[in-house]
Amino acid sequence: QSVLTQPPSVSGAPGQRVTISCTGSSSNIGAGYDVHWYKQLPGTAPKLLIYNNNNRPSGVPDRFSGSKSGTSASLAITGLQAEDEADYYCQSYDSSLSGPVVFGGGTKLTVL
Amino acid sequence: QVTLRESGPALVKPTQTLTLTCTFSGFSLSTSGMCVSWIRQPPGKALEWLARIDWDDDKYYSTSLKTRLSISKDTSKNQVVLTMTNMDPVDTATYYCARRSSGSGLDPWGQGTLVTVSS
């Protein structure tokens, strides 16, 4: 049971827009801690996709965007492409007994 | 260019102690704000954060695993070592190390090393 809750799967057709939610609580996202997002292709290490809620590292297309409000955060992907099919994880920090760094359970994005 | 690489045994027996080494280049762990974390991922499952060591030698552990974990660094060798005691088959996972610099997420990650716990 992950501290941050993500939908197990989302899907969309090429060109469409999809969002992935990440729901936390008052001890993590709601406490004001930053949220980061990672993309993981099968058999490879995760890669930073969004940092500090809504910032893209160099090289990440602007089709990817992040937002945060209250105890939740979201990752939005517009203009869906086949290479976007992957697992996506959110990550934040926590001040409770859960531990200082927490991940979401991951969301499998399928491009139809 | 920042790189990290995990190394350690591919197979350990139940009750044994696992020792993993993260060897990195392209940054110094003595630089203010730098940290290295260990994260693991059981086959087909989600990421689980394990431990972190900071530039000032502060150490943080997963609450559920802290009695079994120890993290240390050798700044001169650019290495971070994680030990996990009393290994169990449920600890079978790919173990990753990753850098975090101040004001960012975990970036980059090492390629990971698969550790299987079996007798």
Side-chain angles (χ1 to χ4, degrees):
Chain A
Q1 190 82 356
S2 301
V3 173
L4 304 178
T5 300
Q6 297 180 234
S9 63
V10 298
S11 62
Q16 283 190 333
R17 178 181 186 270
V18 297
T19 61
I20 298 173
S21 60
C22 175
T23 303
S25 67
S26 58
S27 66
N28 42 67
I29 298 176
Y33 292 113
D34 286 330
V35 177
H36 312 299
W37 291 90
Y38 303 89
K39 174 183 178 181
Q40 185 178 33
L41 294 169
T44 69
K47 189 174 181 180
L48 182 66
L49 189 65
I50 296 287
Y51 68 96
N52 295 357
N53 309 313
N54 54 16
N55 295 278
R56 289 185 308 276
S58 174
V60 174
D62 59 6
R63 301 187 296 105
F64 295 87
S65 63
S67 63
K68 187 183 96 166
S69 178
T71 59
S72 295
S74 288
L75 172 70
I77 309 172
T78 60
L80 209 55
Q81 299 180 5
E83 56 261 38
D84 298 334
E85 186 161 296
D87 292 325
Y88 293 84
Y89 292 90
C90 61
Q91 178 248 306
S92 187
Y93 307 91
D94 197 286
S95 58
S96 74
L97 294 178
S98 300
V101 178
V102 289
F103 280 98
T107 299
K108 169 68 177 178
L109 169 61
T110 301
V111 180
L112 301 171
Chain B
Q1 181 190 6
V2 174
T3 63
L4 303 96
R5 186 183 76 251
E6 305 85 354
S7 59
L11 179 67
V12 297
K13 290 181 167 48
T15 76
Q16 286 187 336
T17 294
L18 170 69
T19 299
L20 295 173
T21 300
C22 175
T23 303
F24 56 86
S25 64
F27 70 98
S28 172
L29 200 42
S30 60
T31 300
S32 178
M34 287 294 176
C35 321
V36 170
S37 276
W38 282 94
I39 306 101
R40 71 178 179 180
Q41 184 174 38
K45 295 189 177 181
L47 300 169
E48 179 184 19
W49 179 83
L50 300 175
R52 187 183 99 195
I53 189 164
D54 294 356
W55 81 99
D56 57 2
D57 211 37
D58 278 348
K59 301 166 186 176
Y60 304 87
Y61 298 99
S62 162
T63 302
S64 61
L65 292 169
K66 64 180 178 180
T67 60
R68 300 173 54 205
L69 294 173
S70 178
I71 191 169
S72 62
K73 63 182 173 73
D74 187 330
T75 305
S76 64
K77 292 183 179 180
N78 282 350
Q79 290 181 333
V80 171
V81 175
L82 180 77
T83 61
M84 181 180 289
T85 62
N86 194 24
M87 293 291 286
D88 183 271
V90 300
D91 297 313
T92 294
T94 296
Y95 287 75
Y96 298 99
C97 60
R99 180 194 74 161
R100 178 193 164 222
S101 55
S102 181
S104 183
L106 296 164
D107 179 52
W109 295 53
Q111 63 186 19
T113 185
L114 175 62
V115 178
T116 301
V117 184
S118 175
S119 55

